[in-house]
Amino acid sequence: MKLEAIGNLGHRLMLARTLPPRLVLAKIAKRLPWSNRRSVRVAEIVHSPKDLRPDRLLEFFRLQEALLSERVGRPPIDFRGRNVIEIGPGPLAGWGPMAIFRGAERVYGVDPDWVDGALFDPAVEAAYLRPHFAALSEAFGALMPYEEFRTRLADKLTVEACGLDAAQPEFIADIIISNSCLEHIVSLDVALLALADLSAPGVRFMHLVNFGNHRDRLSPFSTIYEMSPSDYQSLYGNHINLWRPSDVGAAFSAAGIEAEMTIVDQPHEKVASVGVHTHWKDRYCTEELAVRTALFCEPIHGGEN
């Protein structure tokens, strides 16, 4: 048995104990080579309490924009008439439906785990799309009837099961967004070079990066800082790239993308509670190691473009 499988066993057992039984069965079925990917993805969505919260993704976006407005005076993004790329939108197309609802011309997403047809499956439409439309209408006003929203999604929203290096949006993006995705891209420097080629002059972007372990919310830096990156990846795989804030900032700069970082949360006590390996001590200061989440956005030069 691979060390990676052993390292992830405890995490999977924890999920099996805490997730709804039907969701656990769907996740098991997902790993069977003969399973129908669309049927399995639909089952994952409709049995996931997290995915079925109609305002969950909307809340993330609005909280991030509110924080940026308060901290750095960043104006909100205006989606009207804009071409949008979203990186890693997830099974529900992420913020794409919100962007379409708010007037985006086109939205293109890239997500290697995307399954065509699942979002518009009747069960997902009833369980998520209609409630999500209601949440959008409550947040931004009755901008259109549901039937028009559904038609616009079909016509203007595309998600492809690929990475940024293979993205073919057929437009240059005015807006680029992602939520806890960049930390999962192993060759992030290469991906950002591809992203630079897809960016229009004056592009607006907002990327939330989570520097924690994605395994334990109460101890986000355990296992990461307790060993070298090579040991971590031997035990847990490449589910996160282990880049720290300065590494991400340097990759943006190397790609020719001017980006500013705004720290979202920085729990110093979570670093103090783990034994920090010399790899991390020798390369990063404690202040940087304590950054759990941060937003990377275009610099503010007056109002919105």
Side-chain angles (χ1 to χ4, degrees):
M1 181 179 290
K2 293 182 179 180
L3 287 176
E4 178 184 341
I6 297 173
N8 287 323
L9 180 61
H11 182 63
R12 289 173 179 165
L13 289 173
M14 182 273 292
L15 292 177
R17 291 195 304 270
T18 57
L19 295 178
R22 290 186 179 181
L23 179 55
V24 173
L25 290 175
K27 289 186 176 296
I28 293 172
K30 181 179 180 179
R31 297 180 175 275
L32 302 177
W34 59 82
S35 64
N36 181 293
R37 294 188 71 230
R38 174 174 166 171
S39 297
V40 169
R41 176 53 51 84
V42 169
E44 283 185 297
I45 293 170
V46 300
H47 296 305
S48 169
K50 177 186 74 173
D51 286 339
L52 293 186
R53 281 182 51 199
D55 59 349
R56 173 176 168 269
L57 297 174
L58 173 60
E59 283 181 0
F60 286 151
F61 187 88
R62 299 184 82 184
L63 286 171
Q64 289 170 24
E65 283 212 318
L67 181 143
L68 290 166
S69 175
E70 178 183 342
R71 297 267 188 91
V72 298
R74 185 175 190 266
I77 293 174
D78 184 355
F79 288 96
R80 292 174 295 179
R82 305 300 178 92
N83 292 321
V84 182
I85 290 177
E86 182 168 11
I87 309 164
L92 299 171
W95 290 328
M98 177 197 68
I100 295 292
F101 183 82
R102 296 176 65 185
E105 178 60 30
R106 286 175 292 179
V107 176
Y108 176 85
V110 289
D111 192 321
D113 197 37
W114 178 255
V115 177
D116 281 332
L119 181 66
F120 296 127
D121 184 274
V124 175
E125 184 168 6
Y128 177 75
L129 268 186
R130 285 183 177 274
H132 186 53
F133 169 78
L136 292 171
S137 299
E138 182 177 352
F140 303 111
L143 302 182
M144 65 189 74
Y146 178 76
E147 291 72 21
E148 181 179 350
F149 173 66
R150 178 65 172 75
T151 299
R152 288 192 182 194
L153 286 182
D155 293 344
K156 296 176 178 289
L157 173 66
T158 300
V159 183
E160 292 190 332
C162 66
L164 272 172
D165 56 339
Q168 296 182 337
E170 299 183 353
F171 62 75
I172 299 299
D174 306 302
I175 297 167
I176 302 176
I177 47 181
S178 70
N179 186 49
S180 191
C181 176
L182 299 189
E183 67 269 21
H184 296 291
I185 301 176
V186 175
S187 300
L188 182 57
D189 49 349
V190 176
L192 291 179
L193 285 169
L195 195 61
D197 291 337
L198 298 173
S199 302
V203 64
R204 299 208 64 190
F205 58 89
M206 184 170 74
H207 302 290
L208 180 83
V209 181
N210 183 337
F211 296 98
N213 54 30
H214 292 255
R215 305 169 63 82
D216 187 343
R217 291 184 179 182
L218 297 179
S219 186
F221 304 121
S222 65
T223 63
I224 293 181
Y225 294 158
E226 293 168 335
M227 60 189 77
S228 69
S230 58
D231 286 345
Y232 181 92
Q233 288 163 347
S234 294
L235 278 173
Y236 301 108
N238 292 323
H239 71 110
I240 50 176
N241 58 32
L242 300 175
W243 290 29
R244 297 301 91 187
S246 59
D247 304 323
V248 175
F252 271 109
S253 181
I257 302 173
E258 189 178 0
E260 290 184 348
M261 183 183 78
T262 301
I263 295 172
V264 177
D265 69 325
Q266 191 177 25
H268 292 83
E269 71 281 3
K270 301 299 184 181
V271 177
S273 67
V274 301
V276 180
H277 188 275
T278 55
H279 171 90
W280 304 101
K281 286 182 179 179
D282 293 345
R283 290 167 174 79
Y284 308 95
C285 68
T286 302
E287 287 293 307
E288 182 172 9
L289 292 176
V291 176
R292 190 183 74 88
T293 53
L295 286 156
F296 291 82
C297 305
E298 82 285 352
I300 300 302
H301 302 300
E304 180 171 1
N305 301 323

